[in-house]
Amino acid sequence: MNSQSPRGPSDGPLRAVRGYPRRAPLTLAYVCLLLASHAWVGHGLSTERAATVLGYVSTNLDNLQDHPLRALLGSALFFDGTLTDVASTDFVGTFITLGLGVGCSLAWVEHRWGKARAAAVFLGGHVAATLLTAAVITVALRHGWYPTAVRQALDYGVSYGAQTVLAIGTLALPRWGRLPWAAFVLAWPLGGADWSGPLPDFTTVGHLVAAALGFGLLCIPAFRRQRVRAVAATAAGPSRAPSGSGPQRTSPPAAGTRTPPSA
């Protein structure tokens, strides 16, 4: 009889790391792209050239009027933060946005609903939160709550999309952890907010809007259903051929079949 070796406390995390490329290949590729673009801007370009590139992809009001599509898509290729200054608040933001948001929450959405829906949710949150924030900025400028320089402000990165999937990731937690996580998702952008009249700074507004979009998607029944995987369809084992007959071919599970919601 073969005896099984006892599992150590690190077996679970190690299996999760080894299985990450299989469970979330799109997310892994996106994280690698973000790291590459961050290194390119930070080390491959001169300071002036880097400022020009980031200024062009910033989703401020002037760029959204001049080249909206290139600004919206280009902004999603970078993240605003640091990977080296671990004692700074910027690193905390990087950990939440790039680590918990993209690396964990987006990967969970991809594993649960597939690549197409994960990309749609992330980019949809990024674009919708940006445009809604631009509308808030426009109103704030009319009332004098924001300075006019905000029209050309440097504003780029994936944090709005990450905030959307952070909110959706609430569904991945046990019931007792969902309310504290939702409170964290809403509270962390307010930690460093600068207030101008009745409004916080526009980036804080954008993060709150993105979180609201994510929580709103959780109210849609389709986003509470888990997609079917082939392994689930064959969990009961292969079907047996009738006695005396030749090999039988079993039909694959019907496309589009879904399991009942697990949450």
Side-chain angles (χ1 to χ4, degrees):
M1 181 179 294
N2 295 329
S3 59
Q4 295 181 349
S5 58
R7 293 180 178 179
S10 62
D11 286 352
L14 287 176
R15 286 198 303 272
V17 171
R18 287 196 297 266
Y20 191 95
R22 175 180 54 82
R23 294 193 310 273
L26 181 65
T27 300
L28 179 60
Y30 187 45
V31 170
C32 292
L33 175 62
L34 291 174
L35 293 175
S37 66
H38 186 75
W40 175 61
V41 168
H43 304 285
L45 299 178
S46 64
T47 303
E48 295 77 11
R49 181 59 178 165
T52 300
V53 170
L54 296 178
Y56 186 79
V57 300
S58 290
T59 52
N60 53 48
L61 291 185
D62 284 357
N63 283 354
L64 288 176
Q65 292 177 356
D66 182 64
H67 50 276
L69 186 60
R70 283 172 287 178
L72 287 167
L73 296 181
S75 178
L77 300 178
F78 301 91
F79 67 90
D80 183 17
T82 178
L83 294 172
T84 55
D85 190 4
V86 296
S88 66
T89 56
D90 286 343
F91 182 81
V92 176
T94 301
F95 174 75
I96 295 173
T97 296
L98 185 63
L100 297 179
V102 179
C104 296
S105 298
L106 181 59
W108 180 83
V109 172
E110 179 183 355
H111 179 63
R112 183 179 178 91
W113 289 307
K115 300 181 183 67
R117 187 171 293 187
V121 167
F122 188 87
L123 288 176
H126 168 74
V127 172
T130 298
L131 296 180
L132 290 172
T133 303
V136 173
I137 293 173
T138 302
V139 173
L141 287 172
R142 290 175 182 172
H143 288 80
W145 296 333
Y146 287 161
T148 55
V150 78
R151 295 188 61 91
Q152 298 89 26
L154 191 65
D155 181 29
Y156 66 92
V158 300
S159 59
Y160 292 170
Q163 185 78 348
T164 302
V165 293
L166 274 173
I168 294 176
T170 306
L171 194 62
L173 300 175
R175 293 186 183 276
W176 58 264
R178 293 178 181 179
L179 184 58
W181 179 257
F184 163 74
V185 171
L186 291 172
W188 85 265
L190 294 168
D194 295 323
W195 291 81
S196 300
L199 293 176
D201 57 274
F202 68 90
T203 56
T204 300
V205 171
H207 284 89
L208 295 177
V209 169
L213 291 171
F215 290 129
L217 288 175
L218 291 182
C219 299
I220 301 175
F223 279 90
R224 302 185 66 86
R225 302 191 187 105
Q226 187 170 3
R227 65 173 185 167
V228 165
R229 299 179 183 279
V231 66
T234 58
S239 58
R240 295 183 177 180
S243 176
S245 63
Q248 300 293 313
R249 180 175 298 176
T250 58
S251 300
T257 307
R258 295 184 181 271
T259 55
S262 58

